[in-house]
Amino acid sequence: MVAADLEGPYQPGVRMFRWEPSLPLRGSAAALCNNLSVLQLPARNLTYFGVVHGPSAQLLSVAPEGVPLAQRQLHAKEGAGVSPPLITQVHWCVLPFRVLLVLTSHRGIQMYESNGYTMVYWHALDSGDASPVQAVFARGIAASGHFICVVLDTGTWSGRVLVFDIPAKGPNIVLSEELAGHQMPITDIATEPAQGQDCVADMVTADDSGLLCVWRSGPEFTLLTRIPGFGVPCPSVQLWQGIIAAGYGNGQVHLYEATTGNLHVQINAHARAICALDLASEVGKLLSAGEDTFVHIWKLSRSPESGYIEVEHCHGECVSDTQLCGARFCDSSGSSFAVTGYDLAEIRRFSSV
């Protein structure tokens, strides 16, 4: 294992990214981890941004030059209950044959066509799974092949993953499987394409104890291994070419081998809890954002001689006086990224110099 530290604020000799005009929001982002979703549509010269705030999700469409074209709000479906449900996450799921926008809340799971105008599926949560003092809610969304996986938490004692089989078109979505592997609430989920390989670990889930469960997707999902936690929550995980990147509440980023669970690199990346991770899949860049107001970009690779995971720190950015709660690359090459912050009524954007 290799340990890496960042001592004090990062001050690059040459700036790699510059500030771009911010995107105004009608309301600030809620203080939820991973509270930003980005969908790039090159064929239409559009980028969509999604942010959660209370009972609504704000959706923005933006032109290539950064000009906001439209902004609208989606609200959580009421379901049963006397108080308005709170949305916990919004995420675009890119499937082989369609793109769906998924919202999770304390009442259910909503799936829309990518523009958010047409709801194609609603899955109500059963409050009978928990005691009266426990909350039932969904959080954590990922696409795997023609499946959409959504994390369901039933209070403080367990979590499971709902696997939905998505047809090529239409609303005939089926709940095909429920995955159990965690004894604590699940915090996040990440996937990557298996590319037709057998016995490949292509999905990972994390929980409040820091435990990671590594899965293989397919007609039936299989739990391959568990990576033990150490009593620190893991709010965000990512998966890239068999490398698991896990961000923890103590500010550390751990890089694991997905197939074996071996820890290769431990990075003391942030002074406070990590709130979001993202990966630029084309180049292996990892984005980490923490409650310490810093965003860092790392380059992941494998040593051609040993096969060990290597990491290089590429860039650091301070978003002053902001408790960050979401961060995403805006493209798969990692040439631009965006962040959200609690009580910040805008999306801050950065692009490469």
Side-chain angles (χ1 to χ4, degrees), residues 98 100 111 120-123 146-150 162-178 219 221:
R98 67 195 295 190
L100 292 182
M111 298 187 187
V120 296
Y121 184 74
W122 155 252
H123 178 84
H146 60 89
F147 299 100
I148 288 179
C149 303
V150 181
L162 306 183
V163 180
F164 296 93
D165 195 342
I166 311 298
K169 60 181 180 179
N172 296 323
I173 295 170
V174 177
L175 175 60
S176 62
E177 193 174 357
E178 296 190 17
F221 283 64

Side-chain angles (χ1 to χ4, degrees), residues 76-100:
K77 188 176 173 67
E78 292 291 333
V82 294
S83 60
L86 299 178
I87 296 180
T88 51
Q89 193 170 8
V90 58
H91 184 69
W92 278 279
C93 290
V94 180
L95 303 163
F97 34 74
R98 67 195 295 190
V99 178
L100 292 182

Side-chain angles (χ1 to χ4, degrees), residues 217-241:
S217 66
E220 293 185 359
F221 283 64
T222 304
L223 178 59
L224 299 178
T225 187
R226 288 184 176 91
I227 301 174
F230 47 95
V232 177
C234 179
S236 192
V237 288
Q238 288 292 325
L239 190 56
W240 179 75
Q241 294 190 2

Side-chain angles (χ1 to χ4, degrees), residues 5-349:
D5 290 272
L6 288 178
E7 297 180 355
Y10 177 66
Q11 298 177 343
V14 178
R15 275 187 73 82
M16 296 182 62
F17 289 82
R18 64 174 180 267
W19 288 68
E20 294 288 348
S22 298
L23 303 175
L25 297 170
R26 292 174 182 168
S28 64
L32 299 169
C33 291
N34 308 305
N35 190 2
L36 177 63
S37 185
V38 178
L39 174 68
Q40 189 183 35
L41 298 173
R44 299 175 57 189
N45 285 327
L46 285 178
T47 303
Y48 289 159
F49 294 86
V51 181
V52 169
H53 177 78
S56 66
Q58 301 177 70
L59 307 181
L60 293 83
S61 58
V62 180
E65 56 275 10
V67 178
L69 299 178
Q71 182 172 168
R72 62 188 302 263
Q73 289 184 317
L74 283 181
H75 295 275
K77 188 176 173 67
E78 292 291 333
V82 294
S83 60
L86 299 178
I87 296 180
T88 51
Q89 193 170 8
V90 58
H91 184 69
W92 278 279
C93 290
V94 180
L95 303 163
F97 34 74
R98 67 195 295 190
V99 178
L100 292 182
L101 175 67
V102 182
L103 269 65
T104 58
S105 73
H106 293 77
R107 300 279 166 75
I109 300 163
Q110 299 165 224
M111 298 187 187
Y112 294 82
E113 298 294 354
S114 60
N115 58 15
Y117 283 98
T118 305
M119 183 188 292
V120 296
Y121 184 74
W122 155 252
H123 178 84
L125 301 185
D126 182 7
S127 60
D129 287 338
S131 71
V133 297
Q134 294 174 326
V136 179
F137 60 94
R139 63 172 175 181
I141 309 162
S144 179
H146 60 89
F147 299 100
I148 288 179
C149 303
V150 181
V151 170
L152 174 65
D153 279 316
T154 53
T156 60
W157 54 272
S158 71
R160 61 184 188 267
V161 179
L162 306 183
V163 180
F164 296 93
D165 195 342
I166 311 298
K169 60 181 180 179
N172 296 323
I173 295 170
V174 177
L175 175 60
S176 62
E177 193 174 357
E178 296 190 17
L179 309 178
H182 292 269
Q183 300 303 314
M184 296 286 287
I186 302 175
T187 52
D188 198 20
I189 182 172
T191 60
E192 71 167 345
Q195 299 174 342
Q197 303 177 50
D198 294 330
C199 300
V200 170
D202 56 3
M203 187 173 85
V204 59
T205 51
D207 70 23
D208 272 342
S209 72
L211 173 74
L212 306 179
C213 286
V214 184
W215 309 81
R216 182 179 71 246
S217 66
E220 293 185 359
F221 283 64
T222 304
L223 178 59
L224 299 178
T225 187
R226 288 184 176 91
I227 301 174
F230 47 95
V232 177
C234 179
S236 192
V237 288
Q238 288 292 325
L239 190 56
W240 179 75
Q241 294 190 2
I243 300 171
I244 296 172
Y248 292 91
N250 59 2
Q252 291 183 346
V253 174
H254 290 188
L255 302 179
Y256 298 95
E257 191 74 54
T259 53
T260 64
N262 292 336
L263 175 62
H264 282 234
V265 181
Q266 175 182 302
I267 309 167
N268 295 322
H270 293 268
R272 297 186 65 183
I274 290 174
C275 60
L277 295 179
D278 194 27
L279 263 162
S281 58
E282 286 186 6
V283 293
K285 286 182 180 178
L286 175 69
L287 179 71
S288 67
E291 293 180 356
D292 59 356
T293 76
F294 273 87
V295 181
H296 292 291
I297 295 179
W298 319 82
K299 178 68 171 66
L300 308 185
S301 61
R302 286 188 184 272
S303 167
E305 293 82 17
S306 64
Y308 282 110
I309 300 168
E310 298 180 342
V311 60
E312 175 189 359
H313 185 227
C314 300
H315 181 76
E317 191 77 47
C318 178
V319 186
S320 301
D321 304 319
T322 302
Q323 180 184 325
L324 299 176
C325 51
R328 290 280 180 180
F329 284 114
C330 299
D331 54 77
S332 58
S333 64
S335 62
S336 60
F337 67 91
V339 301
T340 56
Y342 174 62
D343 210 22
L344 185 67
E346 61 185 13
I347 299 174
R348 298 276 178 89
R349 300 184 305 132

